[in-house]
Amino acid sequence: MIRVLLVDDQHLIRAGLRMLCDAQPDIEVVGEADSGREAIPLAGRLLPDVVVMDLRMPGVDGITATSRILAERPATRVLVLTTFGDDDHLYPALTAGACGFLLKDAPPTELLDGIRRAAVGDSPFSPEVLRRLVQRAVHARPGSPPALPGLTARERDVLNLVAEGLSNTEIADQLHIGVTTVKTHITSLMTKTDSPNRVRLALFARGV
């Protein structure tokens, strides 16, 4: 079971997230907090695997709470879930140690997938956020994709679309294959390129 702590100052959001998580056989909501101040000691007491963290909250915000939670227990995975996807929120959250960044308009399947990926050490990002991270890195360090003779033609297709920041569903639709097949290709690509997560894979494809 993946132990999850929900942190959001809006009760309705927390209730919706709890209902979504409670319907999953492998996810257990072990607690809720309505502020960063409440979340910090709660994370230390409940020892969640994943903290789903809002950013804008009164008092102690999500960025400060993320930093303090990880200072006390670095193994905790903090997954940001926010309405605000701009750079002023994204980069401070990543600097504080958040492992991923999802937007609240993401479909439920994307959030659940993000929790599962965070729990196993991956870094889930909303497609538009991933695109911006890649574009910024490419702008800073332009390069060319390295030659990888071991890739299949389909893997090269998937790699190019990952570099553009497309989600698994968008890749599947564009290539007319199943989402499960896309995931299989991405797992293979991460192994072949020694990329620990999707962000690194996208940067690899851009030669960064």
Side-chain angles (χ1 to χ4, degrees), residues 52 63 65 79 99 102 110 115 153 155 180 190:
V52 178
I63 293 170
L79 175 60
C99 72
L102 300 180
E110 184 177 316
I115 291 174
E155 285 175 338
T180 301
M190 290 172 65

Side-chain angles (χ1 to χ4, degrees), residues 10 26 30 35 38 41 55 65 77 102 133 187 204 208:
Q10 297 185 44
D26 58 335
V30 295
S35 68
E38 183 183 9
L55 290 183
R77 306 286 288 171
L102 300 180
L133 284 171
T187 299
F204 178 91
V208 178

Side-chain angles (χ1 to χ4, degrees), residues 19-42:
M19 288 180 62
L20 184 64
C21 292
D22 283 348
Q24 308 306 307
D26 58 335
I27 299 176
E28 176 188 10
V29 176
V30 295
E32 298 180 21
D34 62 8
S35 68
R37 186 180 304 279
E38 183 183 9
I40 295 165
L42 208 56

Side-chain angles (χ1 to χ4, degrees), residues 12-181:
L12 188 61
I13 296 293
R14 295 199 314 275
L17 292 174
R18 176 179 278 277
M19 288 180 62
L20 184 64
C21 292
D22 283 348
Q24 308 306 307
D26 58 335
I27 299 176
E28 176 188 10
V29 176
V30 295
E32 298 180 21
D34 62 8
S35 68
R37 186 180 304 279
E38 183 183 9
I40 295 165
L42 208 56
R45 187 166 72 252
L46 298 176
L47 305 180
D49 301 306
V50 178
V51 178
V52 178
M53 179 75 73
D54 187 23
L55 290 183
R56 283 195 178 180
M57 294 178 287
V60 177
D61 63 18
I63 293 170
T64 302
T66 295
S67 179
R68 291 179 58 181
I69 287 171
L70 294 176
E72 295 178 9
R73 190 168 179 261
T76 305
R77 306 286 288 171
V78 178
L79 175 60
V80 168
L81 181 65
T82 181
T83 306
F84 308 97
D86 55 274
D87 289 358
D88 290 341
H89 292 87
L90 172 60
Y91 290 101
L94 298 180
T95 300
C99 72
F101 198 102
L102 300 180
L103 300 179
K104 287 184 177 178
D105 61 358
T109 52
E110 184 177 316
L111 172 60
L112 294 171
D113 182 58
I115 291 174
R116 294 182 176 108
R117 288 171 58 194
V120 298
D122 200 358
S123 300
F125 288 88
S126 289
E128 55 267 50
V129 174
L130 177 60
R131 276 192 286 269
R132 202 160 68 251
L133 284 171
V134 172
Q135 288 166 359
R136 178 163 174 166
V138 169
H139 180 74
R141 293 177 53 198
S144 301
L148 278 176
L151 298 188
T152 67
R154 181 59 84 195
E155 285 175 338
R156 291 184 185 281
D157 292 339
V158 172
L159 183 61
N160 290 334
L161 295 177
V162 168
E164 293 178 17
L166 271 64
S167 67
N168 289 350
T169 301
E170 290 170 332
I171 293 173
D173 289 345
Q174 188 153 329
L175 297 180
H176 306 292
I177 57 179
V179 173
T180 301
T181 303

